[in-house]
Amino acid sequence: MNRTWWKEAVIYQIYPRSFMDSNGDGIGDLQGIISRLDYLKYLGIDVIWLSPVYQSPNDDNGYDISDYQNIMDEFGTMEDFDELLAAAHERGIKIVMDLVVNHTSDEHKWFMESRKSKENAYRDYYIWREGKDAQTPPNNWGSCFGGSAWQYDETTGMYYLHLFSKKQPDLNWDNPKVREEVFDMMTWWCDKGIDGFRMDVISMISKTKEMPDGKNGDFGPYCVHGPNVHKYLQEMNEKVLSKYDIMTVGETSGVTTALAQQYAGEDTHELNMVFQFEHVEGDGKYGKWTDEKIPLITLKETLSRWQTELYGKAWNSLFWDNHDQPRAVSRFGDDRPMYREVSAKMLATCLHMLQGTPYIYQGEELGMTNYPFQSPDDFHDIESINAYKEWCTEGKLSHAVFWPCITFKSRDNARTPIQWDNSPQAGFTVGTPWIAVNPNYTTINAKAETADVNSVFHYYKKLIALRKENPIMVYGKYEALMEDSAELFVYTRAMDNEKLLVVCSFCDHETNFMIPAEFVGTSCLISNVENQYDKSEMTLKPYEAFVLHRK
Ligand code: TEU
Ligand code: CA
């Protein structure tokens, strides 16, 4: 297996709107990020993945881009960006940009031209179709954010495709001019010195020519991993990526381990790694919405399969949460005050000891929790707003049934401001934040945690440092133990004559455990509670995690 810097790196995802506000308008910005770089340096991360900072009307918080080569006014200017890049590089931190090129904003100049007439030079930059008749879209596909995936446009009497909101029209990647424009834009950013791209829904860029109705309106078979996706990624690799020492990660929802070997194979010349969702999906009761945890056995089966089937062949990302997911500790751990810290550390251990490149979503290193929503008016996210309307207002479910589900999984959970300290608005802004601060900032905040060596923050710092000292964490071969346990996640990593034993308890009570003979008396690399590991028989504390190292 090739050794590369991006396999050894730890990535930190910044959602700029909620990270740090420097000018009091309540919206995080680039100068705010610059002011917190020393915090990230202290944590020890190697790479920042910056969620979109480009010009955008913010229908989907920057994932609807109206100009790829300018910075969103609310976030600052291109000078601020250049300053951020230089300041990060000075600290040895790389910056990976979010590349959102499955779609643009409907306010992008290409789309504004495209919709003008059927003859417009930009018409074929997007996907236009005639409706079945004046009132009926071309097919039954539903958009990811609810409603039809087709929007009727009066000027030319045709429909355009939008797999996300109607303000996010899909680009037509079959048009060579579109590919050329995108590749030129990417080259422009690479020449500026950025260190890579996280590619938004990159698995959806190629659609089938025929667009039949989908089962229950599902566009998946026609738009996800479509006919030319690998061809286009290889072309992108040849024309752009291969010319720079950058890292690329493809958001590829719905990818299988077999397909991942093509997207992110050691020698397939597409992307460096996939970012796949199988371990955080499939739990929905109503669409994606649920108030239940994924059973540990299911979670382990999924994660183990990805570990085993990619070993030596392809590379994966490791994450519990991001800006589209609820907070890790609330979803996979236990956010009740007495268990929050210990379970957050357990989850961190479990993830960082797996094979793949770990991602920390901003605030996860503090053990930030889901938000206590009081009413649907608290939502800002287009997905939550539309979903509440679709499921409740339109009468499919009662509020009482749906409310616990939408609040458990709303993307807004991850989007509340970073809790920097215990001053008003958690030190995020001196103004009024665009989205409310979680009231638990008085106890959960970066100032308190950086000052306390036993905090979740310091635990993450230690895990990151251990990764630098122990290549086995990156390259060791994975093996699952105790696969039938519904309470413990236990596995080993092996490389040369070294071996790690990773033991994580996912339950809120004590459990008995037998340390395998070969690890009795070996050294403890890290643990989240005080315990003895010198005898085989032992009792694990609630949410205990430890790693033994045999050399
Ligand atoms: O998300 C793509 C994606 O797979 C989402 O539909 C995801 O399933 C959903 O957010 C979960 O509820 C990317 C971005 O990460 C997301 O923020 C954007 O809204 C979306 O693409 C459109 O650009
Ligand atoms: Ca601001």
Side-chain angles (χ1 to χ4, degrees):
M1 191 186 317
N2 300 328
R3 295 197 168 195
T4 62
W5 64 263
W6 43 264
K7 290 179 180 167
E8 297 171 12
V10 175
I11 321 282
Y12 186 94
Q13 185 193 349
I14 290 185
Y15 194 69
R17 180 164 290 269
S18 305
F19 190 69
M20 180 68 206
D21 174 25
S22 70
N23 63 351
D25 66 355
I27 297 171
D29 47 49
L30 298 182
Q31 285 298 333
I33 299 174
I34 294 171
S35 74
R36 297 294 184 177
L37 283 175
D38 286 330
Y39 167 84
L40 298 179
K41 175 79 190 155
Y42 183 57
L43 179 59
I45 54 102
D46 306 283
V47 177
I48 292 170
W49 151 21
L50 204 54
S51 274
V53 294
Y54 318 92
Q55 255 326 331
S56 163
N58 283 308
D59 187 54
D60 185 21
N61 285 356
Y63 284 90
D64 48 320
I65 298 169
S66 53
D67 183 347
Y68 290 100
Q69 278 153 271
N70 269 308
I71 300 296
M72 191 189 303
D73 294 334
E74 290 168 331
F75 290 173
T77 61
M78 195 54 82
E79 286 66 48
D80 293 321
F81 179 84
D82 293 339
E83 193 184 327
L84 169 61
L85 189 62
H89 285 171
E90 259 167 48
R91 290 165 177 80
I93 295 174
K94 297 180 192 284
I95 294 195
V96 162
M97 303 297 283
D98 216 315
L99 184 76
V100 189
V101 289
N102 172 69
H103 44 267
T104 67
S105 163
D106 64 340
E107 297 180 37
H108 192 289
K109 65 170 191 277
W110 301 337
F111 190 75
M112 300 203 294
E113 286 297 319
S114 185
R115 76 191 330 174
K116 280 184 185 164
S117 74
K118 293 183 185 172
E119 292 72 39
N120 191 282
Y122 290 88
R123 186 66 172 180
D124 287 338
Y125 273 47
Y126 296 86
I127 301 169
W128 293 94
R129 290 285 187 280
E130 303 282 352
K132 280 185 183 154
D133 58 51
Q135 270 74 47
T136 322
N139 64 34
N140 70 349
W141 297 353
S143 105
C144 291
F145 295 152
S148 169
W150 296 96
Q151 176 66 29
Y152 183 72
D153 204 51
E154 275 183 0
T155 316
T156 54
M158 288 176 76
Y159 288 80
Y160 64 85
L161 179 69
H162 61 90
L163 299 182
F164 293 88
S165 99
K166 64 171 188 273
K167 287 185 66 63
Q168 293 167 301
D170 281 56
L171 281 166
N172 174 19
W173 274 71
D174 292 331
N175 180 347
K177 280 195 240 145
V178 167
R179 303 202 297 277
E180 202 180 295
E181 297 256 23
V182 170
F183 299 159
D184 286 350
M185 175 272 285
M186 292 172 70
T187 299
W188 184 86
W189 280 101
C190 289
D191 288 342
K192 208 180 230 312
I194 59 129
D195 305 288
F197 296 106
R198 173 269 184 186
M199 301 185 189
D200 193 67
V201 289
I202 201 68
S203 50
M204 302 190 191
I205 56 174
S206 168
K207 282 92 177 168
T208 54
K209 282 251 151 28
E210 274 68 53
M211 298 189 156
D213 280 350
K215 202 177 150 208
N216 302 320
D218 178 17
F219 61 67
Y222 315 101
C223 301
V224 186
H225 318 301
N228 293 317
V229 64
H230 299 296
K231 196 171 122 201
Y232 297 155
L233 286 176
Q234 284 160 20
E235 184 183 343
M236 178 196 283
N237 188 296
E238 186 204 320
K239 295 196 169 146
V240 188
L241 309 177
S242 59
K243 302 193 170 140
Y244 303 89
D245 180 23
I246 56 173
M247 80 159 243
T248 54
V249 46
E251 193 203 25
T252 45
S253 69
V255 74
T256 58
T257 55
L259 271 173
Q261 292 173 35
Q262 180 59 38
Y263 280 113
E266 292 267 323
D267 314 298
T268 47
H269 305 290
E270 294 185 20
L271 305 173
N272 293 148
M273 62 183 106
V274 290
F275 195 95
Q276 61 80 27
F277 296 87
E278 203 183 334
H279 63 296
V280 298
E281 278 176 355
D283 56 345
K285 281 198 217 164
Y286 313 110
K288 70 169 254 186
W289 310 103
T290 184
D291 54 358
E292 278 167 24
K293 284 190 176 173
I294 298 171
L296 183 61
I297 293 191
T298 311
L299 184 68
K300 291 199 294 185
E301 189 279 320
T302 308
L303 287 169
S304 291
R305 188 158 31 78
W306 279 87
Q307 291 291 301
T308 314
E309 293 182 8
L310 260 50
Y311 182 72
K313 298 183 186 143
W315 200 253
N316 195 6
S317 307
L318 302 170
F319 68 96
W320 288 127
D321 57 4
N322 70 8
H323 65 294
D324 295 332
Q325 303 286 333
R327 287 283 172 186
V329 69
S330 300
R331 183 175 185 192
F332 295 101
D334 191 332
D335 63 10
R336 288 176 291 174
M338 70 182 297
Y339 295 126
R340 185 187 63 83
E341 289 185 76
V342 72
S343 69
K345 292 173 185 173
M346 181 279 290
L347 289 172
T349 316
C350 186
L351 197 81
H352 284 240
M353 292 293 159
L354 290 171
Q355 183 159 68
T357 298
Y359 287 66
I360 300 171
Y361 177 67
Q362 64 180 33
E364 179 192 325
E365 79 283 11
L366 304 172
M368 277 178 62
T369 65
N370 274 358
Y371 181 81
F373 298 99
Q374 298 303 314
S375 94
D377 296 336
D378 291 342
F379 293 133
H380 290 260
D381 175 30
I382 180 167
E383 185 191 49
S384 299
I385 293 169
N386 290 354
Y388 186 82
K389 206 163 107 215
E390 196 172 315
W391 289 93
C392 287
T393 318
E394 291 166 12
K396 281 195 248 177
L397 288 177
S398 70
H399 174 87
V401 169
F402 194 57
W403 188 245
C405 300
I406 194 167
T407 53
F408 187 59
K409 289 204 68 189
S410 172
R411 306 197 298 182
D412 278 334
N413 284 304
R415 299 179 179 186
T416 64
I418 293 300
Q419 296 162 205
W420 291 108
D421 57 40
N422 63 359
S423 69
Q425 309 303 353
F428 163 72
T429 179
V430 295
T432 307
W434 72 275
I435 187 172
V437 172
N438 193 312
N440 63 19
Y441 76 91
T442 50
T443 50
I444 304 171
N445 64 67
K447 189 171 175 214
E449 294 203 26
T450 47
D452 171 7
V453 292
N454 293 316
S455 63
V456 176
F457 175 90
H458 276 276
Y459 196 89
Y460 269 87
K461 183 170 157 62
K462 183 164 179 194
L463 278 171
I464 297 166
L466 283 174
R467 189 178 177 84
K468 305 281 174 279
E469 296 154 14
N470 297 281
I472 187 173
M473 279 173 70
V474 183
Y475 299 108
K477 186 166 191 209
Y478 173 91
E479 193 186 343
L481 305 180
M482 298 180 72
E483 283 154 290
D484 298 332
S485 168
E487 298 183 321
L488 305 181
F489 195 161
V490 184
Y491 59 87
T492 56
R493 301 284 305 278
M495 195 176 73
D496 304 327
N497 299 321
E498 275 180 72
K499 208 164 173 187
L500 297 177
L501 172 73
V502 183
V503 180
C504 297
S505 167
F506 276 70
C507 61
D508 64 1
H509 49 262
E510 293 190 337
T511 33
N512 293 324
F513 180 69
M514 296 273 279
I515 297 177
E518 59 175 328
F519 286 99
V520 175
T522 58
S523 64
C524 177
L525 209 55
I526 190 166
S527 70
N528 66 349
V529 297
E530 293 278 320
N531 210 335
Q532 297 294 320
Y533 306 110
D534 50 359
K535 288 202 310 289
S536 180
E537 247 171 74
M538 65 168 296
T539 303
L540 291 171
K541 297 182 178 161
Y543 299 109
E544 176 161 353
F546 66 88
V547 181
L548 299 182
H549 191 188
R550 183 171 71 75
K551 285 193 263 209

